């Protein structure tokens, strides 16, 4: 509401400088209708976004998940959880995760659908701020496979699964509050070299 009022005020100033400089309250209502046309748009858009965010939870198979630039879909979310795949081709099956703001905790399950062992084609899911990804990835690489390519007790890591090989499945849950602000956030695979292809955005809506 404040933004809308400011927008109207700003528009009123742009369209009627005299009204603002004179500071006559009577002028404002005359200018307002001019600005009123664009102003309601953000207010009306908000409920639609909320509806879209809730739709995946309500129906298990949202028809058209938004495709990202690399052609992979957004993760399907059901009951504050999502499951996606990692493959022997060093790929996740999705490109982004949108966590419903109504969720307190969120669960990510990674299923490795390949056959290669963890030493050759291990996958995990690590969540950090996008700006921390590169450094966390490097420290994970240094930590080595015995530590799942994750530096122990790294405060930059919001959540991570264990490292798995072909045929295995792993999950992790974390409080949604941890990624509500201060983003953008990224999920990636910390197996050496994999984050070049295996990464995506995770956000709350
Ligand atoms: Cu990987």
């Amino acid at each position: 509401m404040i933004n809308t009022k400011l927008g109207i005020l700003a528009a009123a100033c742009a369209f009627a400088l005299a009204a603002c400089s004179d500071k006559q309250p009577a002028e404002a209502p005359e200018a307002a209708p001019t600005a009123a046309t664009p102003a309601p748009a953000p207010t009306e858009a908000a409920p639609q976004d909320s509806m879209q965010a809730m739709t995946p939870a309500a129906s298990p198979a949202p028809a058209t998940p938004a495709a990202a630039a690399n052609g992979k879909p957004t993760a399907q979310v059901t009951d504050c959880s999502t499951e996606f795949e990692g493959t022997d081709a060093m790929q996740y099956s999705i490109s982004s995760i949108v966590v419903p703001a109504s969720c307190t905790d969120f669960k990510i399950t990674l299923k490795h659908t390949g056959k290669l062992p963890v030493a050759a084609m291990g996958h995990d899911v690590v969540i950090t701020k996008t700006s921390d990804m590169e450094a966390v990835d490097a420290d994970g690489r240094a930590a080595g496979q015995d530590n799942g390519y994750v530096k122990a007790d790294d405060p930059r890591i919001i959540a991570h699964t264990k490292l798995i090989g072909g045929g295995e499945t792993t999950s992790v849950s974390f409080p949604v509050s941890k990624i509500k602000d201060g983003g953008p956030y990224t999920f990636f695979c910390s197996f050496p070299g994999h984050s070049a292809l295996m990464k995506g955005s995770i956000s709350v809506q």
Side-chain angles (χ1 to χ4, degrees):
M1 287 303 285
I2 292 171
N3 283 340
T4 303
K5 282 179 181 172
L6 284 174
I8 291 172
L9 185 59
C13 288
F15 283 104
L17 283 169
C20 289
S21 53
D22 287 343
K23 290 181 180 167
Q24 292 176 355
E27 299 277 4
E30 289 179 72
T34 311
T37 307
T43 314
E44 287 178 357
Q48 286 175 357
D49 289 347
S50 302
M51 295 281 279
Q52 285 173 353
M54 287 160 74
T55 303
S59 60
T64 53
N70 63 5
K72 287 188 213 154
T74 295
Q76 290 192 5
V77 173
T78 307
D79 295 335
C80 297
S81 69
T82 189
E83 179 177 323
F84 55 92
E85 299 172 354
T87 70
D88 279 348
M90 207 173 95
Q91 300 273 350
Y92 286 136
S93 56
I94 56 145
S95 62
S96 60
I97 304 170
V98 178
V99 177
S102 57
C103 296
T104 304
D105 294 297
F106 192 74
K107 181 182 179 185
I108 291 176
T109 298
L110 174 69
K111 187 178 179 184
H112 193 321
T113 56
K115 291 187 170 140
L116 293 170
V118 65
M121 187 53 72
H123 296 319
D124 63 8
V125 176
V126 179
I127 301 173
T128 66
K129 283 188 181 186
T130 302
S131 57
D132 285 337
M133 187 195 92
E134 219 168 291
V136 170
D137 197 20
D139 287 349
R141 201 155 52 234
Q145 189 175 321
D146 287 349
N147 295 303
Y149 296 115
V150 168
K151 182 185 173 188
D153 301 322
D154 189 332
R156 298 165 299 183
I157 295 179
I158 289 145
H160 73 88
T161 68
K162 66 170 188 169
L163 190 72
I164 57 170
E168 295 184 292
T169 298
T170 182
S171 295
V172 66
S173 293
F174 59 95
V176 173
S177 59
K178 288 190 171 184
I179 59 167
K180 232 163 198 162
D181 304 305
Y185 293 92
T186 293
F187 67 94
F188 67 96
C189 177
S190 66
F191 192 97
H194 286 200
S195 65
L197 288 174
M198 300 183 75
K199 66 182 170 188
S201 67
I202 180 165
S203 58
V204 179
Q205 273 183 20

